[in-house]
């Protein structure tokens, strides 16, 4: 039977992680300071290694790909944006907004698949030339069980390509716009997986970030129609990466919700109780990666269904 959540994941061990100027133009969660670049990398590497060890200890099959010094890829720690895997031996390659993130794509990826023969490769990356972007499971929050693709449209999530993906993959499109307040102004949230996470039986959602009430009600209706229990989170909690969680399953078939300690620290008892009906919550400390990279635990994990 096909599972909609996986035990196998890929993570990329960073070699030159730092604040990425190219992505900061529309990722307002990144923070810049005067800390030495090597210190940032060293601290991020410690967080990464500790996270890998913790996930392995609880029975997750973590495959670690080591990044290289060249080409310079400061965001390689977030592999879920440039590829996704699917049953039927399919891998999808996505067009990336930042030029230095396009350099993350590597054929070394195929070494980490169980079945690398007869791959069906769906490659949208050439659309970068037309400034059309759809950044993987950052832009797409996939309900694999019900074949629905939730997508907050932005510079990094193009609706035309979303339509093509949904047609190719057989998903129903649920598109909307989500926003965050930056310096008193409402600005688009760069990735859907910042304000939304999908479990088999629940969904984490910042409904308040969807300013258009019709779009908001449609997202809620789609989730509820599939019997999802919704964990409503605030914009404050989004800023603390509570939307950037991921559901995995361990080798004993126990469902795990991985989130950062930053996210866990702002969970209310009510929210925690809903998630713990279905999953064991596993917090990981990635606060340095969050600060400089603007992404959290979910961004660091690429699910493997191959």
């Amino acid at each position: 039977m096909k599972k909609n959540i996986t035990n196998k994941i890929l993570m990329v061990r960073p070699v030159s992680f730092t604040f990425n100027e190219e992505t900061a133009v529309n990722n307002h969660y990144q923070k810049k300071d005067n800390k030495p670049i090597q210190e940032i990398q060293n601290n991020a590497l410690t967080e990464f290694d500790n996270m890998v060890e913790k996930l392995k200890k609880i029975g997750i099959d973590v495959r670690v790909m080591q990044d290289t010094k060249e080409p310079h890829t400061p965001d390689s720690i977030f592999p879920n944006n440039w590829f996704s895997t699917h049953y039927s031996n399919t891998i999808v390659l996505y067009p990336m907004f930042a030029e230095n993130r396009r350099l993350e794509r590597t054929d070394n990826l195929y070494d980490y698949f169980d079945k690398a023969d007869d791959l069906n490769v769906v490659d949208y990356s050439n659309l970068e030339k037309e400034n059309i972007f759809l950044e993987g499971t950052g832009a797409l929050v996939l309900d694999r069980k019900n074949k629905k693709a939730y997508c907050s449209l932005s510079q990094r999530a193009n609706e035309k390509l979303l339509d093509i993906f949904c047609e190719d993959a057989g998903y129903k499109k649920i598109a909307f716009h989500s926003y965050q307040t930056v310096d008193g102004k409402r600005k688009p949230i760069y990735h859907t997986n910042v304000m939304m996470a999908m479990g088999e039986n629940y969904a984490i959602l910042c409904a308040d970030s969807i300013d258009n009430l019709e779009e908001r009600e449609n997202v809620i209706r789609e989730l509820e129609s599939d019997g999802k229990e919704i964990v409503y989170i605030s914009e404050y909690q989004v800023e603390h990466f509570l939307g950037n969680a991921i559901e995995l399953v361990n080798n004993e078939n126990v469902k795990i919700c991985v989130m950062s300690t930053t996210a866990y620290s702002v969970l209310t008892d009510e929210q925690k109780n809903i998630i713990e009906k279905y999953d064991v919550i596993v917090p990981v400390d990635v606060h340095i990666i969050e600060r400089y990279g603007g992404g959290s635990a979910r961004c660091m994990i690429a699910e493997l269904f191959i």
Side-chain angles (χ1 to χ4, degrees), residues 3 5-7 59-60 247-251 253-256:
K3 288 187 176 179
I5 52 177
T6 185
N7 171 249
I60 303 297
E247 185 179 58
L248 302 171
V249 62
N250 76 358
N251 54 8
N253 216 32
V254 175
K255 291 179 187 175
I256 307 291

Side-chain angles (χ1 to χ4, degrees), residues 26 133-135 139 151-159 176-178 188-192:
N26 51 28
F133 312 112
L134 187 69
E135 294 193 336
C151 183
S152 178
L153 302 174
S154 71
Q155 278 185 294
R156 306 201 200 181
N158 178 279
E159 189 165 16
F176 55 94
H177 300 80
S178 65
I189 288 179
Y190 79 110
H191 276 162
T192 316

Side-chain angles (χ1 to χ4, degrees), residues 39-52:
E39 185 180 340
I40 295 171
Q41 158 63 19
N42 292 345
N43 291 340
L45 188 60
T46 298
E47 288 183 347
F48 178 90
D49 288 342
N50 289 342
M51 178 174 170
V52 169

Side-chain angles (χ1 to χ4, degrees), residues 4-19:
N4 306 298
I5 52 177
T6 185
N7 171 249
K8 296 183 297 182
I9 63 173
L10 179 87
M11 297 178 66
V12 177
R13 192 169 188 261
V15 72
S16 56
F17 174 80
T18 189
F19 181 91

